[in-house]
Amino acid sequence: MNVRRLIPTTAVAGAVVLGLTALSACSTSDAADGGNGDKLKVTASFYPMQFLAEKIGGEHVAVTSLTKPGVEPHDLELTPRQIGSISESDYVLYLKGIQPAVDDAIKQSGVKNTVDAATLTTLENHGSEVSGHDHDHEGEEEHADEHGHEDEHGHEEEAHEEGDGHNHGEEGGADPHIWLDPVKYAEVAKGVGKSLEKADPDHAADYKKNTDALVAELGELNTAYETGLKNTATKTFITTHSAFGYLAERYGLTQQGIAGIDPEAEPSPARIQEIHTIAEKEKVTTVFFETLASDKTAKTLAKDTGLKTGVLDPLEGITEKSQGADYIEVMKSNLAALKKALGAK
């Protein structure tokens, strides 16, 4: 997270006032305004929240996403109009710790039905370098951090020194990338379903039905991952963005992040050397980069180590470059990429 990009609280407060006077629908889903006055106006902070709101809300909601396709969510700066649109919402769904500008604006919006997805499941601390089951020198951490907020090696979302994993965060210290674990995402989906039932009781039966259908779909996705990644030649994958800690932990893999949780953090020379060694020792074949950030680091490292490059999408947004039209499709593409890179048998 680039701290320099965060919007000061005073600016947010002023912008809320501006936004309220200048408000008009400003989103990927202009349905929130014209002709849909009877729909629940839902504001989602970024794509994984938008997907849940649309799938569970169905025809009863008009969803606006604050993060346009192709924008790196961690870097989002809100316009006064967007801040105003939050205040005008009936229901806001966000994930605290990913987008400080959004967190601040929501805090000041006064919206009654505000749901933080991070409260609907258990967050854990994944150091930028060590995730999943690679705990050579931090073996105690794997179980100590199950409840997410006390681990001394917690990796703050704002941390961008060099991914050393020693940022002592309070609440923000936990890894927010819960949507990349289908099991945790299903837990969030259940919570979102219940909160929509409460916010709009007239359509509670539909929200419940839609939630059950999505949870079943996520269950199938989890089974596909479990089966597909059970027998592999290696369990280690290298990625430029340490977003896959939950996924690694769920399926017994080891994520080695070149940098940290912040996709723009530059790795230290020592870290690059360490990655070289790990790649040789663990028979790693591929360096993964993501769709919304530069692939320069991955390509340089791959060239130096003779590894291939591939895409592992952290699903922070869907664009025409995405390997699929929605969350489920892209997660299936990610599974195919992992199976190939890890030598699934």
Side-chain angles (χ1 to χ4, degrees):
M1 183 67 56
N2 293 325
V3 178
R4 66 181 181 278
R5 297 189 184 177
L6 308 193
I7 299 177
T9 309
T10 48
V12 172
V16 168
V17 178
L18 282 170
L20 287 172
T21 53
L23 181 70
S24 68
C26 55
S27 70
T28 51
S29 169
D30 284 341
D33 236 25
N36 281 318
D38 55 336
K39 291 195 177 190
L40 199 72
K41 282 188 192 172
V42 175
T43 296
S45 57
F46 73 132
Y47 178 71
M49 302 298 104
Q50 178 191 343
F51 178 76
L52 290 179
E54 288 173 348
K55 290 286 276 190
I56 295 168
E59 63 186 11
H60 306 303
V61 299
V63 181
T64 300
S65 178
L66 294 172
T67 310
K68 291 184 171 64
V71 171
E72 165 58 60
H74 299 268
D75 299 338
L76 182 71
E77 293 182 15
L78 295 174
T79 64
R81 180 183 284 181
Q82 283 180 304
I83 291 168
S85 79
I86 296 172
S87 303
E88 291 288 296
S89 307
D90 299 314
Y91 179 100
V92 177
L93 180 59
Y94 76 116
L95 179 56
K96 192 174 177 185
I98 282 276
Q99 301 167 290
V102 173
D103 295 351
D104 285 347
I106 287 170
K107 203 185 292 178
Q108 302 199 30
S109 70
V111 176
K112 183 179 142 204
N113 295 304
T114 299
V115 177
D116 171 13
T119 63
L120 303 175
T121 184
T122 310
L123 266 63
E124 297 173 17
N125 293 341
H126 297 124
S128 64
E129 296 161 20
V130 188
S131 300
H133 295 267
D134 182 31
H135 289 273
D136 292 347
H137 57 288
E138 296 180 51
E140 309 78 33
E141 232 179 66
E142 187 174 347
H143 300 291
D145 70 357
E146 277 180 5
H147 298 287
H149 301 300
E150 270 87 42
D151 187 285
E152 66 167 350
H153 295 289
H155 193 96
E156 272 201 276
E157 187 57 34
E158 284 101 294
H160 60 284
E161 278 73 46
E162 280 175 352
D164 63 6
H166 288 274
N167 299 82
H168 301 270
E170 257 57 75
E171 196 171 33
D175 178 357
H177 297 88
I178 45 178
W179 66 93
L180 290 162
D181 172 353
V183 177
K184 285 196 175 292
Y185 200 45
E187 286 172 9
V188 174
K190 287 176 192 171
V192 170
K194 286 198 177 86
S195 65
L196 278 171
E197 286 174 43
K198 204 179 279 185
D200 182 16
D202 290 352
H203 301 115
D206 284 351
Y207 295 140
K208 185 165 184 354
K209 190 178 78 184
N210 294 345
T211 302
D212 290 346
L214 178 57
V215 167
E217 212 175 346
L218 292 169
E220 286 169 19
L221 186 66
N222 174 47
T223 303
Y225 266 80
E226 276 182 342
T227 311
L229 299 172
K230 194 172 280 177
N231 297 310
T232 53
T234 180
K235 295 288 180 193
T236 302
F237 64 96
I238 296 170
T239 173
T240 53
H241 183 183
S242 298
F244 302 93
Y246 291 107
L247 185 149
E249 196 164 338
R250 177 70 56 196
Y251 304 111
L253 306 177
T254 298
Q255 165 186 259
Q256 288 289 350
I258 296 173
I261 286 178
D262 178 353
E264 290 185 19
E266 284 292 325
S268 65
R271 180 61 185 153
I272 288 176
Q273 186 51 52
E274 204 180 340
I275 291 283
H276 278 243
T277 309
I278 290 163
E280 281 179 24
K281 184 181 156 206
E282 301 294 337
K283 301 182 176 57
V284 176
T285 63
T286 309
V287 179
F288 286 116
F289 60 93
E290 59 170 297
T291 38
L292 295 184
S294 166
D295 61 359
K296 191 180 73 175
T297 309
K299 283 192 166 154
T300 304
L301 186 67
K303 193 176 161 205
D304 289 352
T305 51
L307 299 173
K308 298 177 199 138
T309 55
V311 172
L312 202 57
D313 194 332
L315 263 158
E316 293 177 344
I318 294 278
T319 69
E320 65 275 8
K321 288 183 184 170
S322 300
Q323 308 284 307
D326 67 6
Y327 172 88
I328 300 287
E329 286 186 12
V330 175
M331 281 295 280
K332 285 178 178 171
S333 296
N334 279 350
L335 174 57
L338 279 168
K339 280 166 73 173
K340 187 179 171 189
L342 299 172
K345 296 177 178 73

